[in-house]
Amino acid sequence: MIIETLITVLSFVYLFMIVEIIFSSTKDVMTKQKAFEGRILFFIYSLIVYYKDLKLDIFLWDTFLNEPIKQAYTLMNTLLESFFGISIAGNPIIIFAYLIPAGFVYNFVKYWFSYGFGDEKIANMISLTAVVMFIAKAGNLGLINSIVIDGVPVSGVPFGGFLSSSTIFYLLDVFPSKFIGLDTFLNFGFTSDISLSILMFVLILGAIAGFFMISRILLGSVFLSGDDTKKEKGERRIKKTVSSVSGLVFVAAILLYFADKFFSFDLASIPILHGLALPVFFIAGLTLIAVVADFLVFVAFWMIIKDINAATGNRLDIKK
Amino acid sequence: MRKKFLIFSLLFLFSNSYAQTILDFDLGEFIPMITDNLKAFGLVPNLSEGCDDPDNCNVFELPSTRAFFIILILFWMILNIAVGLGNMPSVLFGFFITSLIFKYLPAVFGMDVMGLFKFVFSGLFIFIWLEYIMRYLFAFSKTTKLFLQSSITLIAIFFLNAINVFDLISNWLNVMISGVGFIIFIVFMLAMRIISAYTGLLSIGAAKDVRGEGSTIAGTANSDVDNFKEGRGNI
């Protein structure tokens, strides 16, 4: 009863999160950029869980994260089927071709117009017109639709072709096989060998990547709500928690090293560690992308806005 | 309000879970039951009725579905901008109103929906644009501004073929979305930001001058300046 209750509650929470992610994109600069990356990461993870039936064979993880995510998508599917007669089960084309692009067009145009004109009404009108044009052109995003990745045209794609069903599932299918191929070629032994040095490397990399990415996921989650003071407090708490957790992982890696070296403790006997290398490297890759994106946002937006603010006596804050 | 909402949603979630586990209540059967009733009443549209083959049909490709969403956005725009409802309430009310029209006045969706949208958009846009321009006319009272706005909008619509406004903006958005125009768009927006910051500061100065001590004429200027100070205004 308790587990079912928790799963149902989490399903609804995840459903709200997924819907919110679909309909919100770049809303603010820098502070929310990290939250946005975390949301996108969670969204990609939830798509993989639902469409690829992901299971990690870790009881708590599967029960309280993967199962509610699957149920949330099932619930969304039921709602869409009974409301509009469309199904997303086994076919993510509705999400990728219609919902995300429409949300992206609306938010992108609204953001730039409220930034340029400082008038919410005008920004709202123009962004709604952009959505109408998007619908009238049968979901065509112009230049973005002509982007082709590996011979596959990515239709109905926001974010320059990155977040498309073809790209994500392509990466998901190809990345592990390419990684295993690279590993075999260079003879590192990340995927076959479970030697101590490799495990140490994986754990430390995991701690560093986790420090960057987990904070983003938490920032984009439901924990940050309420007024600005509460958000600031929440942000500080998240930073503290994440740094202590990744610190603990770091210490655990060193302790495991000593345990293996001096107390004849066999690290390979821990079953979870066998499958750790691939997810850690995947997350590390995403971390790299996120850090580069942060840097670009910092250069492109933050400096310009700071200049304008300084020129106008710091009176114009960045608006949502 | 927030706490009450949280308590009610938690109660709903727990009762739902209780019903599912103890009473064998299936949400997958319950939701279609409600939506069928809503569809019969007309509060939810039956979009798939235009399909030739109901089993293998993408409703998003039907012209009636596109017309439905365009009318929905039109109501959303009117309720949000002209009436001043929040984003979510205007979406919800717009959805219900459009569904009712879809059920009881289907002829609306057979006509030139884009033409209707262009007409309403142009009128509303000119009205809002005039409001944006007239922020700087501090010596005018609110009623005078409203009178000027409405009369200029009516003249533009009925005598000056103002539907061109929509074509102008949509052409511009087309260029922006599809090609090199994207860079021009970003540069233009940055320039507009600087211009609006400059004119905003000028208008603050003008407002302060007009306010003066003992001034009674600048009611709107007072509220504008107060809004700006509290971070609510758009000056």
Side-chain angles (χ1 to χ4, degrees):
Chain A
M1 171 67 192
I2 294 168
I3 287 181
E4 274 99 341
T5 311
L6 277 170
I7 288 176
T8 317
V9 171
L10 282 171
S11 304
F12 275 98
V13 171
Y14 291 151
L15 179 73
F16 291 136
M17 274 175 75
I18 290 160
V19 171
E20 210 222 319
I21 293 158
I22 287 174
F23 286 108
S24 68
S25 59
T26 327
K27 274 185 177 174
D28 205 344
V29 197
M30 213 52 201
T31 320
K32 285 194 178 166
Q33 169 71 16
K34 286 174 188 168
F36 175 62
E37 281 160 17
R39 281 176 184 176
I40 290 297
L41 194 71
F42 176 79
F43 183 49
I44 293 171
Y45 179 76
S46 69
L47 285 171
I48 291 167
V49 166
Y50 183 61
Y51 287 110
K52 293 280 166 179
D53 201 15
L54 185 78
K55 246 184 188 175
L56 291 184
D57 288 330
I58 303 169
F59 172 72
L60 285 174
W61 190 278
D62 284 342
T63 314
F64 294 118
L65 196 71
N66 291 358
E67 190 55 35
I69 283 175
K70 279 177 201 164
Q71 287 200 10
Y73 270 96
T74 316
L75 200 62
M76 184 150 74
N77 191 33
T78 315
L79 283 169
L80 282 173
E81 265 189 343
S82 53
F83 265 69
F84 301 116
I86 43 176
S87 168
I88 54 160
N91 178 23
I93 195 81
I94 303 291
I95 295 176
F96 282 103
Y98 299 104
L99 295 179
I100 299 174
F104 176 74
V105 166
Y106 177 75
N107 279 296
F108 180 82
V109 177
K110 191 175 177 186
Y111 171 77
W112 274 106
F113 270 85
S114 49
Y115 172 79
F117 288 85
D119 194 290
E120 287 300 315
K121 283 179 179 175
I122 288 176
N124 213 359
M125 279 200 81
I126 306 270
S127 48
L128 285 174
T129 314
V131 176
V132 166
M133 283 163 60
F134 173 73
I135 294 168
K137 285 169 83 184
N140 186 9
L141 277 179
L143 182 74
I144 300 169
N145 275 40
S146 64
I147 295 171
V148 172
I149 296 175
D150 279 5
V152 185
V154 284
S155 51
V157 185
F159 314 116
F162 179 68
L163 193 65
S164 72
S165 59
S166 53
T167 326
I168 284 176
F169 294 128
Y170 170 80
L171 278 177
L172 192 72
D173 288 337
V174 166
F175 184 78
S177 62
K178 286 241 163 102
F179 179 71
I180 290 165
L182 188 75
D183 188 36
T184 322
F185 179 69
L186 295 171
N187 204 12
F188 279 149
F190 281 118
T191 47
S192 53
D193 194 7
I194 188 131
S195 68
L196 193 63
S197 56
I198 285 170
L199 261 178
M200 282 292 293
F201 183 70
V202 164
L203 277 175
I204 290 169
L205 192 68
I208 295 167
F211 177 76
F212 283 106
M213 289 322 287
I214 294 168
S215 64
R216 280 171 173 75
I217 291 177
L218 290 177
L219 275 170
S221 69
V222 283
F223 300 116
L224 275 189
S225 55
D227 54 27
D228 288 345
T229 340
K230 274 186 185 171
K231 277 181 190 168
E232 270 172 31
K233 264 187 194 170
E235 218 171 308
R236 243 178 282 143
R237 211 177 298 147
I238 284 169
K239 270 183 192 163
K240 223 185 259 177
T241 318
V242 171
S243 44
S244 35
V245 168
S246 38
L248 277 176
V249 174
F250 194 78
V251 171
I254 291 165
L255 283 177
L256 281 172
Y257 176 78
F258 280 109
D260 197 291
K261 196 105 180 158
F262 301 112
F263 297 102
S264 66
F265 172 75
D266 190 13
L267 260 184
S269 62
I270 304 172
I272 298 169
L273 294 183
H274 286 277
L276 211 63
L278 269 181
V280 163
F281 275 90
F282 194 67
I283 291 171
L286 285 171
T287 311
L288 196 66
I289 295 169
V291 170
V292 172
D294 276 4
F295 178 72
L296 288 176
V297 167
F298 182 78
V299 172
F301 291 93
W302 194 243
M303 304 299 274
I304 296 166
I305 291 162
K306 276 217 155 179
D307 276 358
I308 294 169
N309 267 348
T312 52
N314 282 322
R315 277 175 161 176
L316 294 157
D317 286 334
I318 307 151
K319 280 183 183 162
K320 278 181 186 177
Chain B
M1 184 63 203
R2 204 179 167 80
K3 269 182 191 167
K4 272 181 197 165
F5 178 74
L6 199 70
I7 289 164
F8 274 116
S9 49
L10 277 176
L11 261 176
F12 167 70
L13 292 172
F14 276 98
S15 57
N16 170 52
S17 141
Y18 180 80
Q20 281 195 67
T21 45
I22 306 292
L23 305 173
D24 281 338
F25 165 81
D26 188 4
L27 208 62
E29 288 176 10
F30 185 64
I31 289 171
M33 212 170 76
I34 292 178
T35 43
D36 284 346
N37 281 318
L38 287 175
K39 272 180 188 171
F41 189 70
L43 283 177
V44 169
N46 194 4
L47 293 172
S48 53
E49 67 186 8
C51 289
D52 296 330
D53 178 15
D55 294 331
N56 189 16
C57 173
N58 182 1
V59 285
F60 281 114
E61 284 169 4
L62 294 173
S64 60
T65 310
R66 253 178 251 159
F68 176 84
F69 280 108
I70 289 171
I71 299 270
L72 166 63
I73 289 171
L74 191 64
F75 275 111
W76 176 3
M77 193 184 277
I78 292 168
L79 289 172
N80 196 343
I81 292 155
V83 182
L85 280 179
N87 228 350
M88 271 329 275
S90 35
V91 173
L92 275 178
F93 276 110
F95 183 75
F96 291 141
I97 295 167
T98 321
S99 306
L100 285 170
I101 297 172
F102 193 77
K103 168 106 177 152
Y104 297 108
L105 275 173
V108 173
F109 295 87
M111 57 193 253
D112 181 15
V113 178
M114 273 312 279
L116 185 71
F117 183 84
K118 282 176 189 177
F119 189 71
V120 177
F121 170 85
S122 305
L124 203 56
F125 187 78
I126 291 167
F127 192 80
I128 299 297
W129 186 257
L130 286 168
E131 194 182 313
Y132 181 74
I133 300 286
M134 287 181 185
R135 291 176 311 167
Y136 306 118
L137 303 179
F138 289 109
F140 286 58
S141 75
K142 231 171 191 172
T143 323
T144 320
K145 276 183 189 176
L146 193 66
F147 185 71
L148 274 171
Q149 264 174 274
S150 351
S151 42
I152 294 173
T153 310
L154 289 174
I155 289 167
I157 287 173
F158 290 109
F159 298 108
L160 301 176
N161 194 14
I163 222 163
N164 289 337
V165 173
F166 178 85
D167 294 335
L168 189 79
I169 288 171
S170 64
N171 283 340
W172 189 51
L173 278 176
N174 264 332
V175 173
M176 174 213 109
I177 288 174
S178 57
V180 191
F182 181 74
I183 297 161
I184 300 170
F185 172 76
I186 301 290
V187 171
F188 174 73
M189 281 302 160
L190 290 172
M192 269 314 293
R193 175 73 176 195
I194 294 164
I195 291 167
S196 68
Y198 180 69
T199 47
L201 289 176
L202 280 184
S203 66
I204 287 282
K208 276 182 182 165
D209 288 346
V210 176
R211 275 178 93 171
E213 266 187 44
S215 166
T216 51
I217 54 163
T220 50
N222 281 335
S223 58
D224 278 359
V225 173
D226 291 343
N227 281 345
F228 179 75
K229 277 181 183 167
E230 288 164 23
R232 282 188 276 118
N234 289 318
I235 292 180

